[in-house]
Amino acid sequence: MGPVSLEKIIALQKKPANIRNICILAHVDHGKTTLADCLISSNGIISNRLAGKLRYMDSREDEQIRGITMKSSAISLQYKEGHEEYLVNLIDSPGHVDFSSEVSTAVRLCDGAIIVVDAVEGVCPQTQAVLRQAWLENIRPLLVINKIDRLIVELKLSSQEAYTHLQKILEQVNAVTGSLFTSKVLEERADKDTTTETTDGDQLYDWSAGLDETDDSHLYFSPDQGNVVFASAMDGWGFTVDHFAQLYSQKVGIKSAVLLKTLWGDYYLNSKAKKIMKGAQSKAKKPLFVQLILDNMWSLYDAVMKREKEKIDKIVSSLGLTISARESRHSDPKVHVNAICNQWLPISQAVLSMVCKKLPSPLDISVERVEKLLCGSSRLFDSLPSQTQQLKEAFLQCRSEENTPVIVFVSKMFAVDAKALPQNKQRPLTQEEIALRRELARQKHAEKMAINQGPEPAPSSSECQVPVNSENTKGDTRTLSGERENPVKKSDKQEAENKSYFIAFARVFSGVVRRGQRIFVLGPKYDPAEALPKLPSDCSLTADISAIPHMACCTLDSVYLLMGRELEDLEEVPAGNVLGISGLEDFVLKSATLSTSPACPPFIPLNFEATPIVRVAVEPKHPSEMPQLVKGMKLLNQADPCVEVLIQETGEHVLITAGEVHLQRCLDDLRERFAKIAVSASAPIIPFRETIIRPPKVDMVNEDIGKQQKVAVIHQLKEEQSKSPEGVQIDPDGLVTLTTSNKLATLSVRAMPLPEEITHLLEKNSDLIRTMEQINLAFSEGSNAIQVNETTISRMREFKSQLEQHLQGRRWRNVVDKIWSFGPRRYGPNILVNHIEDYERPTVWQCLDRASKEGKYHSFDNSIVSGFQLVTLAGPMCEEPLMGVCFIVERLDINKSVVLERQDSEDKTLTSEEGLPRADESIDNSVRESAEANCILQHSQDSTKAQEKSSKRKGDFPFTDCYGPFSGQLIATMKEACRYAFQVKPQRLMAAMYTCEIMATAEVLGRMYGVLSKREGRVLLEEMKEGTDMFIIKAVLPVAESFGFADEIRKRTSGLASPQLVFSHWEVIPSDPFWVPTTEEEYLHFGEKADSENQARKYMNSVRKRKGLYVEEKIVEHAEKQRTLSKNK
């Protein structure tokens, strides 16, 4: 197929039934970009010979150097199948775990995916991750088993062994799909059961029910269904079973439908009876797939590798191919194989044919996917406004009429240089321009020859040279004067050339997008239910929308066709196509929904697999260049979907990335593209968590802690009590009592470690806790506008029952019903419990029982919660967030005069504020104070100032004494009490852990284990991959020790092992950072000073040093006068 014209692609864009939006997903180095090259070469964009070597979709320099894809990029291809012509919008995505956010942006825009699996390595961690992402986005996957040539050339398997190996790979992929399907069916069944609960208590619950009835045959990959391609992208060949079924049906005389069902499976050909029989394995016969397909491939490779010319010529002539002499005489046999296979079984034809037959067009988008995109799982689609529900039809019909509302989703913003824009590209010269340039070049050459001629008489030379020189000087003066006139123009032009422009990577779901069109930009928090009543019924794009939050209106500058490294200018793009849009950089940060209808809700956020965890502080080498750095970091934040940028309280500019490779790419982008200045980055900032544990039963030498040790600890506690500041009372059982500065309130707080299961449960359900907090806030303000999805209600009930199930025993009696708040940021893995006698207030579970709003929000209720939020955000050990800690407030005594004055001032304010709608009597102004406290915590502002502002609004509050507002004092007291309660218990640090999966051969296992043990790694599993000499090692590794790990392991193993690091969990470091030897055995083992390295203390001190906190360490110990070498002689 020759090169495709732009006009042809524009014509195909208007036929949504013949459009296929697909992405290529796989583990790193499984051959995605090579496969993309083969598909691109079919359109004549690149040569067949360069496919796999050029890596056309990897347009960045660092992608070419590292040999991995780092960003998803799109290209439009044309494919002809019979009389039908198709437009395939192909998106190539990265496979490295650090760039999995790019996969999420690609998957959202597609209707189908090609999953590529290496025939040798099989299913790897990232293969499972991309299958899960495709499943979550409701897109249909197809399978390409790539690198089959490695089974022949590297592993030297026989065709029968290769068939068994391929069967196992297919089983592995189907097992992952099956587990995803099972979980979905069980979730749906559970939802159904919650809506229709049975009264029969004796009925047994059958978990398998629902699995048998649901048809899942279409989900699995099977060659006879035509959704599997066997290929070698590097050698340029690929086939489906369907291709060989049609080929052999003519030769053997068996129907192609019969061959299609029997070519893959336990079937063999009985040559005598000329029948296909079942039971090849039991009768030790070759399966049809081996006999008719693999044997032919093996014999071809065997002949080419052994240079058997006669055999090769026979194969080539029987297949009717023409191979050039250059290729047949080439020293590399791979070139010869490529030349034969590329003509015989072109991979592009096999893959594109499968894509067009098996994947849905934009017209076939499912109702389930549309509803999921428009409203998340927490809300019902039916609860959305009626205008919003009508948009569902526009999605499903994918119409491109004039009156159809335009709906576009922008999945990411990517930066391009000014030179890459179509309007700035050099256009080809016309014949007239070429002739003019030729004439000018001739004149210049003639003048040069005249100047360089030999010595001649003076008058003639002056006659010749003066006009030329005068002309030159005129030109010089002209340019100089021009430069003097416009010194700024040149620099402006240069700046414009160097400037990066942002293009939105998007897809049109409905309507037609045109250049210069005005459109609404809807932020992720935009709610049409709130906005529509505020807007006029015939709201146009010119109306004033400044009063509507999270909504803006902009003009689309240009619309582009994405062609890999190139951009093509378009006038309009109809529904169902992928496109690039310029002019959105001031309106869209990372992703957004664009629509001409204000009734359109924002699409649900993208699912990111990787968590940004690697932090570095960046600063310019020259302090005067700080503004450029700030501007560059803003641009980087916009250009990368996963990166996070923040300014810490210390003033540091921090970059948070997903891993080491991602960090390196971000720093390179900052230096070369966005800030364009020299930047220095700190050592990675490692995140830790602080926690407490139950008192240990053994000491540091694994001896049981006896009575003597307990006595020593009690004495130590008494000493600490005597050292504690004035006003702090610490009981032997860990209860801390503290009084405010003006002595008007007293607090008693106890800290307890939460069970590990509860911590995991709180972490897993952080989104649910956040939803509960929003609903509670709405209820407390008297708003009943929110309609909560039944699924969310059932999830909340299940969450509560799980908490009750794990929090059992005397210490945790009725704790779940008394939970006051979660923290930090109101959804973290720590709990605040209300154990104050006669202090009734609404709990966090009020969203489950809306009717009964028992209890009352007390005065200063929020000050207690704010103090708890502050302490959980920065703990006492090294100002890191807390994890797995429960703070129990057992006593709160506030002077009655304070409460009475507070209520009087509130009553005065309420009566003075006419026109303010009054809520329920039980809910007073402290609810509004709660919203203010939220803001305080989220923006890390000074709580005291905020409370002063609120008190000014509510009337003069008499208890703003020399210590500040009373509410502020209560926040500080609560914070200090929690810190002391935390320090009374055994404190521990928690380290972030990576799971590390390594594939390596037996020869390098020892060296690999050496690197792991040196970096505090722990091996969990070691197994041999069946059919290969490869071992799979699963280990956990602290994030703090992971920097440089991948490089070191590659160096030590000569590149034979490469690890994949994915953030897994938080783990308690067993050693106590404040430990000192107390028993005789510990003195004997560790010495009096116990100065052997304590891992937890090392980590703690490094964090404290970085944050500028006090570190207790001696700079010089036992200093001695050193003797020089000369004195030793």
Side-chain angles (χ1 to χ4, degrees), residues 607-622:
N607 296 305
F608 289 145
E609 287 281 324
T611 317
I613 196 161
V614 179
R615 299 170 172 235
V616 290
V618 249
E619 61 180 16
K621 289 231 170 132
H622 307 291

Side-chain angles (χ1 to χ4, degrees), residues 421-423 503 513-517 555-560 569-571 579-583:
L421 296 174
Q423 58 264 33
I503 307 291
V513 175
R514 292 184 175 86
R515 182 194 296 179
Q517 184 177 24
T555 305
L556 308 180
D557 287 354
S558 299
V559 178
Y560 299 115
D569 229 334
L570 297 175
E571 284 299 321
L579 77 160
I581 307 170
S582 69

Side-chain angles (χ1 to χ4, degrees), residues 379 381-390 527-529 532 599:
R379 289 183 74 176
F381 183 74
D382 298 336
S383 69
L384 294 171
S386 57
Q387 299 101 304
T388 305
Q389 292 184 43
Q390 287 165 15
D527 187 0
L532 287 173

Side-chain angles (χ1 to χ4, degrees), residues 416-421 423-424 488-502 585 631 673 676:
V416 294
D417 295 328
K419 289 179 275 186
L421 296 174
Q423 58 264 33
N424 298 336
V488 187
K489 269 189 181 177
K490 210 168 192 179
S491 63
D492 284 355
K493 192 179 176 185
Q494 195 174 358
E495 196 178 319
E497 281 179 7
N498 292 336
K499 189 181 173 187
S500 284
Y501 288 86
F502 279 94
E585 53 261 38
K631 187 183 172 187
R673 178 167 243 173
K676 292 182 180 167

